[in-house]
Structure formats: structure tokens, C-alpha cells
Amino acid sequence: MDFAEKQDLTAMPVASVRASLFGSFQLVATDGAEIVISNRRARALLAILCLAPDEPIDRDHLSKLLWPGRFEAQARGSLRQCLLDLGKLLAAADCNPLEVSRSRIGINAAGVQTDLVDLETALAAGRWAQATELLRAIGGKQLLNQLSSGEDLETWLAERRQAVEQRLQMKISDALTQLKASDNLADHERLLDAWMLRHPTASRAVMADRQSGRTRIAILPFASLDSENDQEYFADGIVDELITTLGRVPQLLVAGRTSSFQFKDSSRSLPEIADLLHVAHLVEGSVQRHGEDVRINVRLIDGQTGFESWSYRYKGTEDDILSSREQVARTVTRELCAALQLDIANPAIRRMTDNKAAYGLYLQGRSLTRRAIGDGVLDTAIGLLEQALELEPEFAECWTALAEAHVYTAVYTPCLDKLGQAERMAECAKKAIQLSPEQGHAYAMLGLYQWTKNNAVGALDLAFKAHQLEPENPAVVMRLGSFLLYCGRTAEALPYLEAAVDQDPVDGRNYGMLCVAHLNLGNIDAAIHAGQRMADLGQPSLHLAAATAASGNHDLAVEQYQKTRLLMNSVIFAPAGTTPMSPEAMDAYWLLAAKGIHSGQEEDRQQYCQMLEMLHATFPDPCDPTIVWPAIWMGYAPMVFKTLGKQITPPNMVGLMSLWADVEPIRQTRLHPDFLDFAKHIGLVAAWEKYGWPDVMPEPSPAN
């Protein structure tokens, strides 16, 4: 079983047969073997009865539902024969829960166990962990979604589905109220997250509610006042600790690291910074080292006025900080929250290391990983983190940082061995989790690896697990939103993306995801706004150009896409193993690409499709994003299938999110007759069957 499917089976009643009602109907015997019912009406009959055990249904009603349009006598005869065949099949499997009388047909509840009854029983009994895992296993699956015997049955099912969802809504609401009243906030959040998975339309309101009642705060980079050498990484490490510790206080919403560190050595006023970060308060400070002695000054600043409202001073040695980090972090958190008039319990502290040398190497490696872009930056970061782990092999947080550095190498450098980097990332993430199972970010990176193995279900399971562990980490929240976006579950993804952007508003990369989400949902103006914000923050405007083209302004879209070449070698790098182009050749290539993707002219599109074929045949990596992404934007399905269909990598998987815009020519890939085979091959269909089908794709009717 995966993370979302583990269940406390010992708490469930013993039955002779188990039925799955969410998704396609499935019957499983006690030995775990599926009982295959090939006759679709027999399958529908048993499914209808399992939906309400111990509530027999009138024979005439069943015959009309299953054999509409037939004469009454014929329908009754068909029902008798169906019952006879079904009884023989069930008897052969050593189970027969049917209860048949002259006028009614029912099922013995003691002989059948269903996922619906399991969920309702767990909720009624207060088994919150079991109820949460059952909800996650059910996901977005529709109740009995592959029964088809005519309009009458569909109408009957629609009424039953609505009744079940309303019943579950009441039970979940009662459970959440009970958990909140008992201050069981951990189980409350987990159960709510699982319910949001089933009802994404409620997700936006829930995410907004979670953030609206919290005090918004940002911890700015501390000034380093070393008297001997300027080791800013030590000060950055203290800020990193505070962001993580304060982020675990339920009453606080802490701005993300990426946005906070954008204001290192900034000339902006404190109120300006507070406004850009959407926070009411700022924390700033300084770290001064003289030999082994350390002095830390922390100040709380009113974001509106820029005035100091509280301060704290710590004196000690580096060894003191390492040995009493928990006490220092909790003291600062407690005093700071008291100044904000917040009543809090002691927050959990991350498991780190007492090895001073390893900790210093880790801080330097993390600082370089955060930068990501730059010649040799990530190689240096990996070297530093590996040195730290040689000194302290059980440093879980360092293993997570090393995993992140490897995936960044695959994404942000001209790396040929992308899969090798992904493998190394997964090894490091697994080691981090083994040492410290609360490493939510490590689970998210394992999810990235599952995409490379065509296991979309596993990727989503891990992303939800990560979010369960670190719901306050905007990087984890964004990762979950992006995975849902890759699967075409855009409406469900949007609130997570918006929450991550709201918490980390100066991370330009996040706006690309937000731009695509709005484009997929048809919110063109919102997509352009998000794409422009991405460009304003110095990130490539590729998604902005796609949104602008969807608005009908093809000339501007071509211009926006072409401008992206100015970021070559600073944010975008040429594909690994290729020869650098001259400035003139680069200009010509980007103009060809911009016109091919966004001019709206079929001649330009065909010309660039031919170029992609040539690049695919000659590039050392034939699945490079520079081939995959344009193919998706142009709706060039054959190229999409032979790149992403051959190998998903950390950088090219981002293209998956752009498959779901219902605009020309992007939609052509989704409308291609081979699309479902492609989706099945890369694991998307399995993810849809568990978590719900894409917003723009109805679930296909079952083959009868």
C-alpha cells in the first residue's frame, strides 16, 4: 500500500467480501482475489445493492433501472436470469451475500464490507487517522462512476451520489467541529486536507480562511558584523532557523525564505519591504562574532511605521548556540509571540547537529543552493554538503539539502545526466526520511523522482504526505499544487498555488505555475498578470507569451517570447552538450521559435515543428525542455509523445502543466487519438482514477 492507502484493517469488521464503491465497482474476496463480474448488468445490480446494504430494493424497480425499454415480463425474466448467474459466480468464490425474496432483493451488510461504510464507521467512532487515510484513498473518485444502463439508472445514481456527498459533508463537518473543540488541531488539519482533496471547490475558501486569521510576519536576512571575517552564512543559518521555528506556530504566517532573502542588503525602506512581502511585521537583526564569542540582536519592526516594537539580545559562544539551539530558538519564539500578544505552545524544533564544523559546511551549502544560478555554484554547494555529511552522517537536514542541490543541478544547469541527478536526489531524500521521518520537503522531492518513473499516483501520494508534514512550507505547498497541475486537476491546484505565492510573493518562479493555472481555467487576464509579475521579477516570460497569445495578441506574444533570449546564460542555459550559438544565430533562432509558437500562422508553426524534429534527432538529450515545452505550446502531439512518452526528467516534467489549456493550438495534443495511450503510459490515467479526472476531460464511459 502507498501512503494514501494504509488503513487500520484491524478496526474494520470481518466480511466475506469487500466492495469498492468509489471509482469503478470492484469486488474482492477474503483471500484478496478480485471477483470478476463480466456481465455489466450483473455488476450494476450488485453495485446498486452494495450502495445501501440491509435496504432491499423492489424487484420491479430494479428491472426497470437495468433493462429500460423492455416489456415488464421480459425485464423481470432478465432480472431472474441475472440473479441466477450472479449467485453461481458468488458461490464459486465462497461468498453469497445476496438476500432474495419474491418481491425484493437486498444484500446482507454483515457479509459485505465497503469503502463507504468503512469511512462512515471510522468518522462515527472518532478514528480520525483511519478516516483521513480512507478519504485520501478515495480521493476525487466518483461514486460508482462506470455504471451505464441508460438514463433512468443515471438519474437514480445522481440522486444517490448527491445524498451520499451531503451525508459525508455533515459527518466531516461534525468531525472537524469536534476536533477543533478538543484542540486536536493536527488531526483537524489532516482530515480537512483530505476532504479538500475530494471537494476542491471548497479548497480556495479553506486556504484563504487558514491564512486570514494569522499574524503575517517576515524574517529578513540578519546583518553579519564579524570582526575577523565575513561569514554571512552563519547569520543566514540563524535566520533559516527562525523562519522554520516561527513557521510552526499556528497563529503565524511566515513569509518564505526565497522572498525574504531577496531583500538582503536592500535599499528599500522597511515599510516598503513589508508591503511587498504582504506582512504586518518584520524581524531583523544582526550577528556579531569575535573569536568564539557570539552576540545576536533581534528586533521586531512594525511593518506600517518601520518602528521597533521589541528587541532581544543573546550572548554566548558558537558552542553554546549549537548545544542550546532548541532553547535559543524557543526563547526567541516565545518572547516574540508575547510581544505580538499570541498565546502559543512550544513549537517543535528541527533535528540538526551538534557538530560545529558540519553545521558550518551545511549553512554554506544551503546558502549556495538557494542561489542555484551561477557557474559552479551548485557543484560547490554539493561538495560542501557532502563534506558536512562525512563529518556527521546522521545529519538529516543536510541530506534533505543535498537532495535539493541535486535536483537543482538537473533543472538549472546544462546537465546531461539528469536521471543520474534524480537518482541521487532520491537516495538523499530517502536517507533524510530514514533519519528523520518528519522531513516533509524530502517526501516532496521523492515525489519528483516518481514522475521520472511514470508513477504519477506515487508522486501525488508523496506530495500530500509532504504537505501533511510541512503545511507551513511554501515550497512544499507549491510542489503539491504543481503536481496537481501536471495531472490537469487545475481547479484543485489553484488554491495551493495561490497560498504559496501569497506566502512567498517575491519568488518569480512560482508565478509561472500561477500563470499556467489561470490560463488552463480560462482566466486570461489573471494569467497575463501573473506572467508579467514573473517577468518583472527577472524570470523567463515564456508563460506570459502563451497567455498573451491566448488573448489573441499574437504580435505581442512573439515579442515577449523573443525577449526571453536576453536571459540566456543567466537564468536559461543552452541545452547540455550543444555548441554555443553566436549572437546573430541566437537572435535568428529565438525569432523562429517565437513565430512558430505564437504567431498563429500555420506556416510558421510547421517550420518550427521541422526545427524541433531536427533538434530531437541531433541533441545529446532528445527529451530536453527546449524541445518538449514548444511542442506542447504548438500542440505538436507526435513530438510530445516521443519525448515525455520516452522519458520524464525534473526539468521537462514542468511542461505537463501546459497540456490542459483549452486554447488552440495547445488543445490539439489532448484531442489526439493517441493521447489516452500516452497518458496511461506515463501514469496519468492511474492518477486520474484515484484522484479524479482532469477539469477539461470527462471520464470515459466503460467498455461494455
mmCIF file of all heavy atoms in Angstrom, residues 25 27 35-39 41-47 49 79-93 95-98 105 107:
data_model
loop_
_atom_site.group_PDB
_atom_site.id
_atom_site.type_symbol
_atom_site.label_atom_id
_atom_site.label_comp_id
_atom_site.label_asym_id
_atom_site.label_seq_id
_atom_site.Cartn_x
_atom_site.Cartn_y
_atom_site.Cartn_z
ATOM 1 N N PHE A 25 -16.639 -0.001 -9.813
ATOM 2 C CA PHE A 25 -17.048 -1.013 -8.837
ATOM 3 C C PHE A 25 -16.119 -2.216 -8.917
ATOM 4 O O PHE A 25 -15.795 -2.712 -9.995
ATOM 5 C CB PHE A 25 -18.486 -1.450 -9.109
ATOM 6 C CG PHE A 25 -18.982 -2.515 -8.179
ATOM 7 C CD1 PHE A 25 -19.283 -2.208 -6.856
ATOM 8 C CD2 PHE A 25 -19.142 -3.822 -8.618
ATOM 9 C CE1 PHE A 25 -19.741 -3.187 -5.990
ATOM 10 C CE2 PHE A 25 -19.599 -4.803 -7.760
ATOM 11 C CZ PHE A 25 -19.892 -4.486 -6.439
ATOM 12 N N LEU A 27 -15.116 -5.984 -6.683
ATOM 13 C CA LEU A 27 -15.444 -6.933 -5.626
ATOM 14 C C LEU A 27 -14.223 -7.807 -5.366
ATOM 15 O O LEU A 27 -13.630 -8.354 -6.305
ATOM 16 C CB LEU A 27 -16.637 -7.798 -6.060
ATOM 17 C CG LEU A 27 -17.490 -8.426 -4.966
ATOM 18 C CD1 LEU A 27 -18.173 -7.342 -4.126
ATOM 19 C CD2 LEU A 27 -18.530 -9.362 -5.577
ATOM 20 N N ILE A 35 -13.073 -10.713 -7.647
ATOM 21 C CA ILE A 35 -14.169 -11.491 -8.224
ATOM 22 C C ILE A 35 -14.626 -10.751 -9.478
ATOM 23 O O ILE A 35 -15.262 -9.705 -9.399
ATOM 24 C CB ILE A 35 -15.327 -11.651 -7.224
ATOM 25 C CG1 ILE A 35 -14.835 -12.327 -5.940
ATOM 26 C CG2 ILE A 35 -16.464 -12.445 -7.845
ATOM 27 C CD1 ILE A 35 -15.863 -12.363 -4.839
ATOM 28 N N VAL A 36 -14.257 -11.268 -10.631
ATOM 29 C CA VAL A 36 -14.534 -10.583 -11.892
ATOM 30 C C VAL A 36 -15.968 -10.871 -12.330
ATOM 31 O O VAL A 36 -16.370 -12.032 -12.456
ATOM 32 C CB VAL A 36 -13.550 -11.030 -12.989
ATOM 33 C CG1 VAL A 36 -13.876 -10.326 -14.305
ATOM 34 C CG2 VAL A 36 -12.119 -10.735 -12.563
ATOM 35 N N ILE A 37 -16.740 -9.792 -12.535
ATOM 36 C CA ILE A 37 -18.124 -9.908 -12.997
ATOM 37 C C ILE A 37 -18.177 -9.298 -14.389
ATOM 38 O O ILE A 37 -18.208 -8.074 -14.548
ATOM 39 C CB ILE A 37 -19.089 -9.181 -12.044
ATOM 40 C CG1 ILE A 37 -18.901 -9.687 -10.608
ATOM 41 C CG2 ILE A 37 -20.533 -9.376 -12.476
ATOM 42 C CD1 ILE A 37 -19.688 -8.906 -9.573
ATOM 43 N N SER A 38 -18.154 -10.146 -15.398
ATOM 44 C CA SER A 38 -18.051 -9.652 -16.773
ATOM 45 C C SER A 38 -19.372 -9.082 -17.287
ATOM 46 O O SER A 38 -19.372 -8.183 -18.129
ATOM 47 C CB SER A 38 -17.575 -10.777 -17.701
ATOM 48 O OG SER A 38 -18.446 -11.902 -17.611
ATOM 49 N N ASN A 39 -20.499 -9.598 -16.791
ATOM 50 C CA ASN A 39 -21.805 -9.102 -17.230
ATOM 51 C C ASN A 39 -22.058 -7.730 -16.618
ATOM 52 O O ASN A 39 -22.124 -7.582 -15.400
ATOM 53 C CB ASN A 39 -22.898 -10.087 -16.789
ATOM 54 C CG ASN A 39 -24.266 -9.698 -17.313
ATOM 55 O OD1 ASN A 39 -24.741 -8.580 -17.099
ATOM 56 N ND2 ASN A 39 -24.925 -10.631 -17.997
ATOM 57 N N ARG A 41 -24.640 -5.770 -16.465
ATOM 58 C CA ARG A 41 -25.855 -5.557 -15.681
ATOM 59 C C ARG A 41 -25.782 -6.287 -14.347
ATOM 60 O O ARG A 41 -26.293 -5.801 -13.339
ATOM 61 C CB ARG A 41 -27.076 -5.993 -16.492
ATOM 62 C CG ARG A 41 -27.433 -5.000 -17.608
ATOM 63 C CD ARG A 41 -28.805 -5.290 -18.184
ATOM 64 N NE ARG A 41 -29.225 -4.235 -19.100
ATOM 65 C CZ ARG A 41 -29.005 -4.235 -20.405
ATOM 66 N NH1 ARG A 41 -28.323 -5.238 -20.947
ATOM 67 N NH2 ARG A 41 -29.435 -3.241 -21.170
ATOM 68 N N ALA A 42 -25.135 -7.436 -14.329
ATOM 69 C CA ALA A 42 -24.938 -8.130 -13.048
ATOM 70 C C ALA A 42 -24.038 -7.299 -12.140
ATOM 71 O O ALA A 42 -24.270 -7.190 -10.927
ATOM 72 C CB ALA A 42 -24.334 -9.506 -13.297
ATOM 73 N N ARG A 43 -23.018 -6.697 -12.752
ATOM 74 C CA ARG A 43 -22.119 -5.825 -11.984
ATOM 75 C C ARG A 43 -22.879 -4.620 -11.447
ATOM 76 O O ARG A 43 -22.723 -4.220 -10.287
ATOM 77 C CB ARG A 43 -20.956 -5.383 -12.876
ATOM 78 C CG ARG A 43 -19.851 -4.635 -12.145
ATOM 79 C CD ARG A 43 -18.606 -4.487 -13.006
ATOM 80 N NE ARG A 43 -18.840 -3.693 -14.207
ATOM 81 C CZ ARG A 43 -18.814 -4.148 -15.446
ATOM 82 N NH1 ARG A 43 -18.582 -5.431 -15.675
ATOM 83 N NH2 ARG A 43 -19.026 -3.347 -16.484
ATOM 84 N N ALA A 44 -23.729 -4.033 -12.288
ATOM 85 C CA ALA A 44 -24.512 -2.875 -11.863
ATOM 86 C C ALA A 44 -25.495 -3.254 -10.763
ATOM 87 O O ALA A 44 -25.688 -2.509 -9.792
ATOM 88 C CB ALA A 44 -25.248 -2.285 -13.056
ATOM 89 N N LEU A 45 -26.107 -4.416 -10.881
ATOM 90 C CA LEU A 45 -27.055 -4.872 -9.866
ATOM 91 C C LEU A 45 -26.386 -4.994 -8.502
ATOM 92 O O LEU A 45 -26.901 -4.477 -7.495
ATOM 93 C CB LEU A 45 -27.649 -6.219 -10.291
ATOM 94 C CG LEU A 45 -28.515 -6.942 -9.243
ATOM 95 C CD1 LEU A 45 -29.731 -6.102 -8.878
ATOM 96 C CD2 LEU A 45 -28.937 -8.315 -9.764
ATOM 97 N N LEU A 46 -25.252 -5.663 -8.466
ATOM 98 C CA LEU A 46 -24.564 -5.849 -7.194
ATOM 99 C C LEU A 46 -24.080 -4.517 -6.635
ATOM 100 O O LEU A 46 -24.137 -4.271 -5.419
ATOM 101 C CB LEU A 46 -23.378 -6.806 -7.386
ATOM 102 C CG LEU A 46 -22.751 -7.365 -6.117
ATOM 103 C CD1 LEU A 46 -23.778 -8.082 -5.259
ATOM 104 C CD2 LEU A 46 -21.601 -8.307 -6.470
ATOM 105 N N ALA A 47 -23.617 -3.622 -7.504
ATOM 106 C CA ALA A 47 -23.145 -2.305 -7.056
ATOM 107 C C ALA A 47 -24.274 -1.505 -6.429
ATOM 108 O O ALA A 47 -24.110 -0.869 -5.380
ATOM 109 C CB ALA A 47 -22.539 -1.542 -8.231
ATOM 110 N N LEU A 49 -26.938 -2.647 -4.988
ATOM 111 C CA LEU A 49 -27.303 -3.245 -3.700
ATOM 112 C C LEU A 49 -26.261 -2.930 -2.624
ATOM 113 O O LEU A 49 -26.605 -2.699 -1.463
ATOM 114 C CB LEU A 49 -27.461 -4.760 -3.862
ATOM 115 C CG LEU A 49 -28.587 -5.219 -4.802
ATOM 116 C CD1 LEU A 49 -28.539 -6.732 -4.988
ATOM 117 C CD2 LEU A 49 -29.949 -4.783 -4.280
ATOM 118 N N LEU A 79 -34.007 -10.157 -15.104
ATOM 119 C CA LEU A 79 -33.535 -9.999 -13.733
ATOM 120 C C LEU A 79 -33.361 -11.365 -13.065
ATOM 121 O O LEU A 79 -32.369 -11.600 -12.369
ATOM 122 C CB LEU A 79 -34.511 -9.133 -12.936
ATOM 123 C CG LEU A 79 -34.181 -8.925 -11.455
ATOM 124 C CD1 LEU A 79 -32.817 -8.261 -11.290
ATOM 125 C CD2 LEU A 79 -35.262 -8.085 -10.773
ATOM 126 N N ARG A 80 -34.311 -12.278 -13.281
ATOM 127 C CA ARG A 80 -34.198 -13.616 -12.692
ATOM 128 C C ARG A 80 -32.946 -14.332 -13.196
ATOM 129 O O ARG A 80 -32.213 -14.947 -12.425
ATOM 130 C CB ARG A 80 -35.445 -14.435 -13.031
ATOM 131 C CG ARG A 80 -36.673 -14.085 -12.220
ATOM 132 C CD ARG A 80 -37.741 -15.147 -12.353
ATOM 133 N NE ARG A 80 -38.203 -15.292 -13.730
ATOM 134 C CZ ARG A 80 -39.192 -14.592 -14.265
ATOM 135 N NH1 ARG A 80 -39.827 -13.672 -13.542
ATOM 136 N NH2 ARG A 80 -39.557 -14.797 -15.520
ATOM 137 N N GLN A 81 -32.720 -14.256 -14.497
ATOM 138 C CA GLN A 81 -31.547 -14.923 -15.060
ATOM 139 C C GLN A 81 -30.250 -14.285 -14.548
ATOM 140 O O GLN A 81 -29.265 -14.984 -14.248
ATOM 141 C CB GLN A 81 -31.582 -14.842 -16.592
ATOM 142 C CG GLN A 81 -30.466 -15.612 -17.284
ATOM 143 C CD GLN A 81 -30.500 -17.095 -16.974
ATOM 144 O OE1 GLN A 81 -31.558 -17.728 -17.065
ATOM 145 N NE2 GLN A 81 -29.362 -17.656 -16.597
ATOM 146 N N CYS A 82 -30.270 -12.959 -14.429
ATOM 147 C CA CYS A 82 -29.093 -12.242 -13.924
ATOM 148 C C CYS A 82 -28.789 -12.673 -12.493
ATOM 149 O O CYS A 82 -27.629 -12.910 -12.138
ATOM 150 C CB CYS A 82 -29.349 -10.737 -13.999
ATOM 151 S SG CYS A 82 -27.954 -9.725 -13.491
ATOM 152 N N LEU A 83 -29.828 -12.802 -11.663
ATOM 153 C CA LEU A 83 -29.639 -13.228 -10.272
ATOM 154 C C LEU A 83 -29.095 -14.648 -10.204
ATOM 155 O O LEU A 83 -28.237 -14.962 -9.365
ATOM 156 C CB LEU A 83 -30.964 -13.133 -9.517
ATOM 157 C CG LEU A 83 -31.418 -11.731 -9.117
ATOM 158 C CD1 LEU A 83 -32.857 -11.769 -8.607
ATOM 159 C CD2 LEU A 83 -30.490 -11.151 -8.047
ATOM 160 N N LEU A 84 -29.582 -15.517 -11.084
ATOM 161 C CA LEU A 84 -29.112 -16.895 -11.116
ATOM 162 C C LEU A 84 -27.628 -16.955 -11.460
ATOM 163 O O LEU A 84 -26.840 -17.636 -10.785
ATOM 164 C CB LEU A 84 -29.932 -17.689 -12.137
ATOM 165 C CG LEU A 84 -29.577 -19.173 -12.294
ATOM 166 C CD1 LEU A 84 -29.827 -19.920 -10.989
ATOM 167 C CD2 LEU A 84 -30.399 -19.799 -13.426
ATOM 168 N N ASP A 85 -27.240 -16.226 -12.496
ATOM 169 C CA ASP A 85 -25.827 -16.210 -12.908
ATOM 170 C C ASP A 85 -24.940 -15.597 -11.820
ATOM 171 O O ASP A 85 -23.841 -16.103 -11.542
ATOM 172 C CB ASP A 85 -25.666 -15.423 -14.208
ATOM 173 C CG ASP A 85 -26.362 -16.096 -15.383
ATOM 174 O OD1 ASP A 85 -26.648 -17.300 -15.277
ATOM 175 O OD2 ASP A 85 -26.628 -15.397 -16.392
ATOM 176 N N LEU A 86 -25.422 -14.519 -11.225
ATOM 177 C CA LEU A 86 -24.639 -13.843 -10.202
ATOM 178 C C LEU A 86 -24.480 -14.735 -8.972
ATOM 179 O O LEU A 86 -23.400 -14.799 -8.368
ATOM 180 C CB LEU A 86 -25.313 -12.523 -9.828
ATOM 181 C CG LEU A 86 -24.552 -11.588 -8.889
ATOM 182 C CD1 LEU A 86 -23.187 -11.231 -9.453
ATOM 183 C CD2 LEU A 86 -25.366 -10.313 -8.647
ATOM 184 N N GLY A 87 -25.556 -15.438 -8.585
ATOM 185 C CA GLY A 87 -25.480 -16.334 -7.441
ATOM 186 C C GLY A 87 -24.452 -17.427 -7.646
ATOM 187 O O GLY A 87 -23.694 -17.770 -6.729
ATOM 188 N N LYS A 88 -24.410 -18.004 -8.849
ATOM 189 C CA LYS A 88 -23.423 -19.047 -9.142
ATOM 190 C C LYS A 88 -21.997 -18.500 -9.059
ATOM 191 O O LYS A 88 -21.088 -19.156 -8.531
ATOM 192 C CB LYS A 88 -23.681 -19.618 -10.538
ATOM 193 C CG LYS A 88 -24.954 -20.435 -10.654
ATOM 194 C CD LYS A 88 -25.143 -20.921 -12.086
ATOM 195 C CE LYS A 88 -26.421 -21.745 -12.229
ATOM 196 N NZ LYS A 88 -26.636 -22.198 -13.631
ATOM 197 N N LEU A 89 -21.807 -17.303 -9.600
ATOM 198 C CA LEU A 89 -20.476 -16.687 -9.586
ATOM 199 C C LEU A 89 -20.001 -16.433 -8.153
ATOM 200 O O LEU A 89 -18.853 -16.734 -7.795
ATOM 201 C CB LEU A 89 -20.507 -15.372 -10.374
ATOM 202 C CG LEU A 89 -19.203 -14.574 -10.452
ATOM 203 C CD1 LEU A 89 -18.155 -15.330 -11.243
ATOM 204 C CD2 LEU A 89 -19.444 -13.210 -11.099
ATOM 205 N N LEU A 90 -20.878 -15.911 -7.322
ATOM 206 C CA LEU A 90 -20.520 -15.615 -5.941
ATOM 207 C C LEU A 90 -20.313 -16.891 -5.143
ATOM 208 O O LEU A 90 -19.407 -16.975 -4.296
ATOM 209 C CB LEU A 90 -21.601 -14.746 -5.295
ATOM 210 C CG LEU A 90 -21.760 -13.337 -5.875
ATOM 211 C CD1 LEU A 90 -22.980 -12.640 -5.282
ATOM 212 C CD2 LEU A 90 -20.509 -12.505 -5.618
ATOM 213 N N ALA A 91 -21.119 -17.903 -5.388
ATOM 214 C CA ALA A 91 -20.955 -19.171 -4.682
ATOM 215 C C ALA A 91 -19.611 -19.807 -5.014
ATOM 216 O O ALA A 91 -18.952 -20.400 -4.149
ATOM 217 C CB ALA A 91 -22.101 -20.115 -5.047
ATOM 218 N N ALA A 92 -19.186 -19.666 -6.260
ATOM 219 C CA ALA A 92 -17.890 -20.211 -6.664
ATOM 220 C C ALA A 92 -16.746 -19.519 -5.944
ATOM 221 O O ALA A 92 -15.672 -20.106 -5.744
ATOM 222 C CB ALA A 92 -17.714 -20.075 -8.172
ATOM 223 N N ALA A 93 -16.967 -18.272 -5.549
ATOM 224 C CA ALA A 93 -15.958 -17.515 -4.791
ATOM 225 C C ALA A 93 -16.144 -17.685 -3.285
ATOM 226 O O ALA A 93 -15.530 -16.967 -2.499
ATOM 227 C CB ALA A 93 -16.031 -16.041 -5.158
ATOM 228 N N CYS A 95 -18.739 -17.045 -1.413
ATOM 229 C CA CYS A 95 -19.452 -15.956 -0.751
ATOM 230 C C CYS A 95 -20.747 -15.701 -1.519
ATOM 231 O O CYS A 95 -20.766 -15.791 -2.742
ATOM 232 C CB CYS A 95 -18.610 -14.682 -0.706
ATOM 233 S SG CYS A 95 -18.221 -14.002 -2.321
ATOM 234 N N ASN A 96 -21.797 -15.425 -0.796
ATOM 235 C CA ASN A 96 -23.057 -15.080 -1.446
ATOM 236 C C ASN A 96 -23.878 -14.223 -0.490
ATOM 237 O O ASN A 96 -24.722 -14.738 0.246
ATOM 238 C CB ASN A 96 -23.837 -16.319 -1.857
ATOM 239 C CG ASN A 96 -24.988 -15.951 -2.794
ATOM 240 O OD1 ASN A 96 -25.287 -14.772 -2.997
ATOM 241 N ND2 ASN A 96 -25.626 -16.952 -3.371
ATOM 242 N N PRO A 97 -23.617 -12.912 -0.492
ATOM 243 C CA PRO A 97 -24.319 -12.033 0.448
ATOM 244 C C PRO A 97 -25.717 -11.635 -0.008
ATOM 245 O O PRO A 97 -26.399 -10.882 0.677
ATOM 246 C CB PRO A 97 -23.402 -10.808 0.508
ATOM 247 C CG PRO A 97 -22.787 -10.762 -0.855
ATOM 248 C CD PRO A 97 -22.625 -12.191 -1.294
ATOM 249 N N LEU A 98 -26.169 -12.119 -1.176
ATOM 250 C CA LEU A 98 -27.480 -11.729 -1.689
ATOM 251 C C LEU A 98 -28.601 -12.277 -0.812
ATOM 252 O O LEU A 98 -28.538 -13.417 -0.329
ATOM 253 C CB LEU A 98 -27.661 -12.234 -3.118
ATOM 254 C CG LEU A 98 -26.794 -11.573 -4.200
ATOM 255 C CD1 LEU A 98 -26.987 -12.284 -5.528
ATOM 256 C CD2 LEU A 98 -27.129 -10.095 -4.336
ATOM 257 N N ILE A 105 -35.022 -7.532 -3.406
ATOM 258 C CA ILE A 105 -33.655 -8.066 -3.444
ATOM 259 C C ILE A 105 -32.776 -7.145 -2.600
ATOM 260 O O ILE A 105 -32.839 -5.912 -2.731
ATOM 261 C CB ILE A 105 -33.113 -8.127 -4.883
ATOM 262 C CG1 ILE A 105 -34.044 -8.961 -5.759
ATOM 263 C CG2 ILE A 105 -31.706 -8.698 -4.913
ATOM 264 C CD1 ILE A 105 -33.718 -8.878 -7.232
ATOM 265 N N ILE A 107 -28.995 -7.099 0.207
ATOM 266 C CA ILE A 107 -27.683 -7.666 0.479
ATOM 267 C C ILE A 107 -27.446 -7.638 1.975
ATOM 268 O O ILE A 107 -27.895 -6.727 2.676
ATOM 269 C CB ILE A 107 -26.586 -6.877 -0.290
ATOM 270 C CG1 ILE A 107 -25.387 -7.761 -0.574
ATOM 271 C CG2 ILE A 107 -26.169 -5.624 0.435
ATOM 272 C CD1 ILE A 107 -24.518 -7.227 -1.692
#
